[in-house]
Amino acid sequence: MDHHYLEKAQSLIKAQSLIKEGDVDFVRIEVADLSGCSKGYLLDAHFFIANCETGFSMTQSIFAMNSNGPMVNGIGLGGDISYENMSFYPDLATFRVLPWVDKTASVLADARVRMEDDKSALHQCAPRNICRNMVGKLRDMHSLRLYGSFEYEFYLLDSKTGERANNEVNCFSTQFLSHHEHIARDVMRNMRKLGISPERFHTEYGKGQFELSQSPAFGLACADNAFRTKQLVKEIARDHGYKAIWMTKPFPDESGSSAHFNLSLWNNDGDNALYDPQMKYGLSSLAQSWLAGLIHHSSALLGLAASTPNCLERSKVGGFAPTNNAWGLDNRSIAFRIKNSGLKSLYLEVRLPGAATNPYLFEAACIIAGMDGVENQMILKGEPFHGEISNCKELPDHISRLPQTLSAALDCLQSTEVFKKALGEEFLKVYTGLKNFEDALAEEHRAKGDLFEWYMDFFGERL
């Protein structure tokens, strides 16, 4: 029995034991849709155990549903394929008891095309499948493992009044945080019980805005942790009388919320492959080519980083949200920030994603772009940018402006060969069709003058 099947058997025994002993009565089976939101079922625990090896039917239409819920037709799923089913096969290694929910566990699922065949093809539009595929290619083709984490910003609003948790901006204030520290403690304790290592919870630059960071994890677990953290925060905030808003720019006059992606690459010897003490800034040759790939494909990356039209509202004012593809050393005003330069702990922070970004798709996108940089030995151009880049009247030649609209970013994504090959035509048709549909709706409401009211109604608590 190989390691994979041994781990699966051990996980199944653990789940059976918890259910038999009465510690778990219900199991949530979950996948991320294209917006990064959880879709699935609440299952009776005994029904789950009896059927977990043959799978659970689910309509493929969940990958054609927009952020607000309804299906979008004409993009290759839903009615286009007669609303056909697929199957959820639980990834038993992800089985976790949810401490804040009565006798309930959660398990993440692999979406496959057929029932009663756990070796049937993985569904091409399932974000977790896409991420798993790219993590595997990075391992098999380059003997590297991505070690990363997303740091989330979000707003807390009173569930009854809609008022923000704080009425003043006081970033990093422990006094302001103390009013809501009971929520922070509850969130961080429960993260740890799920096997996610929390790091920092603090007030941010908007009224009622907070940031939560977590320790990095390898490969698919990086995106899994981000996906589960969002769900956890939303449910615990609700228990405390608040709505956690993951929409990137809920208020036109307040700071947007980001999901900065921190990553390093590790080789089979257990060394940080981005670091070389003999190279300038400690950036290894591999790190320079990887970063060059991210920069080269930054416009296509934005098509997945800005996964709603609202996301790009965050970057229209400059400052901490990037409007171009500059790189630099510990510079918060640019897209690609090298942290701990010159040290063994060196890593990259990609500052493109808004809070609404799908972590599975963005992790996969960074692997696609980075590997292309390495395989084509791309050269890192220019010197690191120093200073507040929004104050720069004339950008150096090696820096390019990013698309200003979602439709433009999606065009870049669709027309980039390396992304077309890696993601597949089926996924790109569905994803761009779905997001262009949302972008068209946003433009209608921009013309009507009620854009941000529509944003809150359409996306709001749903993301």
Side-chain angles (χ1 to χ4, degrees):
M1 182 180 289
D2 66 24
H3 175 74
H4 170 75
Y5 287 103
L6 178 61
E7 183 181 43
K8 182 177 178 181
Q10 290 172 337
S11 299
L12 179 58
I13 291 169
K14 179 182 176 182
Q16 288 172 327
S17 176
L18 287 167
I19 292 167
K20 184 178 180 181
E21 292 170 8
D23 295 321
V24 172
D25 290 338
F26 305 98
V27 179
R28 285 183 193 167
I29 187 164
E30 305 180 71
V31 301
D33 67 9
L34 295 192
S35 297
C37 300
S38 175
K39 292 285 196 293
Y41 298 119
L42 182 66
L43 303 174
D44 175 83
H46 297 280
F47 176 76
F48 168 77
I49 289 295
N51 294 277
C52 66
E53 295 195 35
T54 55
F56 302 89
S57 62
M58 170 61 78
T59 175
Q60 296 184 45
S61 301
I62 63 169
F63 298 128
M65 293 176 179
N66 64 47
S67 303
N68 190 258
M71 255 181 291
V72 176
N73 292 312
I75 60 174
L77 289 177
D80 299 351
I81 59 167
S82 305
Y83 311 103
E84 289 177 3
N85 273 350
M86 58 181 172
S87 187
F88 283 1
Y89 290 90
D91 180 349
L92 291 167
T94 68
F95 188 92
R96 301 285 187 277
V97 176
L98 303 178
W100 66 95
V101 186
D102 182 40
K103 293 190 175 183
T104 301
S106 164
V107 67
L108 304 181
D110 297 329
R112 294 185 180 270
V113 296
R114 287 200 303 274
M115 286 284 291
E116 299 184 13
D117 183 1
D118 65 358
K119 293 182 178 61
S120 65
L122 291 165
H123 200 289
Q124 292 184 36
C125 293
R128 191 170 188 264
N129 292 347
I130 292 169
C131 188
R132 181 202 297 277
N133 182 37
M134 296 317 305
V135 165
K137 286 188 176 182
L138 180 63
R139 179 194 63 234
D140 297 341
M141 296 171 64
H142 297 279
S143 300
L144 293 170
R145 294 189 298 163
L146 184 146
Y147 189 54
S149 68
F150 289 83
E151 52 186 62
Y152 276 129
E153 295 172 346
F154 56 92
Y155 279 84
L156 288 180
L157 309 183
D158 187 284
S159 295
K160 294 180 179 178
T161 66
E163 295 293 318
R164 302 175 210 181
N166 293 324
N167 292 318
E168 298 179 45
V169 175
N170 202 328
C171 193
F172 300 110
S173 168
T174 55
Q175 289 188 23
F176 272 52
L177 180 62
S178 68
H179 296 292
H180 308 284
E181 213 167 69
H182 56 297
I183 301 175
R185 290 192 296 266
D186 208 359
V187 164
M188 296 171 88
R189 284 193 185 111
N190 280 291
M191 286 175 67
R192 189 161 292 283
K193 290 175 182 177
L194 282 189
I196 304 169
S197 298
E199 290 186 345
R200 303 175 183 89
F201 195 117
H202 63 83
T203 56
E204 254 298 338
Y205 208 64
K207 298 173 185 175
Q209 189 183 37
F210 299 85
E211 180 177 306
L212 172 63
S213 63
Q214 57 191 263
S215 297
F218 282 107
L220 188 60
C222 164
D224 281 346
N225 288 350
F227 172 71
R228 282 184 143 158
T229 294
K230 180 171 79 166
Q231 189 81 357
L232 180 155
V233 172
K234 283 178 166 290
E235 293 184 18
I236 288 177
R238 194 179 302 128
D239 288 344
H240 288 279
Y242 286 91
K243 296 186 289 187
I245 301 298
W246 242 256
M247 185 168 67
T248 298
K249 184 80 171 175
F251 308 107
D253 58 344
E254 292 289 351
S255 175
S257 294
S258 65
H260 298 149
F261 183 41
N262 300 284
L263 69 104
S264 56
L265 301 170
W266 292 74
N267 60 30
N268 289 338
D269 294 326
D271 297 322
N272 182 359
L274 297 185
Y275 173 70
D276 184 342
Q278 304 304 316
M279 302 293 285
K280 196 173 183 180
Y281 313 121
L283 282 173
S284 68
S285 296
L286 181 139
Q288 292 180 46
S289 292
W290 184 277
L291 179 54
L294 296 181
I295 293 169
H296 179 73
H297 292 299
S298 55
S299 292
L301 282 175
L302 191 64
L304 293 165
S307 56
T308 74
N310 174 262
C311 290
L312 282 164
E313 303 292 344
R314 158 180 169 263
S315 57
K316 289 184 177 178
V317 293
F320 297 121
T323 57
N324 54 61
N325 64 357
W327 70 279
L329 310 178
D330 199 16
N331 187 337
R332 283 183 168 87
S333 73
I334 57 175
F336 302 100
R337 177 187 180 198
I338 298 166
K339 298 169 89 168
N340 298 349
S341 60
L343 303 176
K344 287 183 179 180
S345 56
L346 179 149
Y347 63 102
L348 306 179
E349 180 184 68
V350 184
R351 296 176 63 83
L352 295 176
T357 297
N358 186 319
Y360 294 108
L361 295 180
F362 195 73
E363 180 178 344
C366 285
I367 294 174
I368 294 167
M371 285 200 306
D372 192 50
V374 171
E375 290 163 7
N376 288 288
Q377 298 182 319
M378 291 184 186
I379 303 300
L380 182 61
K381 298 176 182 178
E383 288 296 312
F385 189 91
H386 180 72
E388 169 55 74
I389 199 165
S390 66
N391 294 333
C392 182
K393 295 181 180 178
E394 187 172 350
L395 293 171
D397 290 341
H398 68 277
I399 298 175
S400 301
R401 295 198 178 277
L402 295 169
Q404 294 298 295
T405 65
L406 179 56
S407 60
L410 292 172
D411 287 345
C412 292
L413 176 64
Q414 271 189 303
S415 62
T416 303
E417 285 300 321
V418 68
F419 279 90
K420 287 166 67 175
K421 183 178 179 181
L423 296 173
E425 290 184 8
E426 180 183 353
F427 168 80
L428 284 174
K429 179 180 179 180
V430 174
Y431 179 80
T432 58
L434 200 60
K435 298 306 171 182
N436 275 316
F437 172 82
E438 294 179 351
D439 193 47
L441 287 178
E443 290 308 307
E444 289 178 15
H445 286 275
R446 192 186 303 277
K448 292 178 181 178
D450 64 347
L451 182 62
F452 274 83
E453 291 86 349
W454 177 79
Y455 278 149
M456 187 61 82
D457 180 62
F458 191 87
F459 298 112
E461 198 179 1
R462 294 175 176 85
L463 292 173

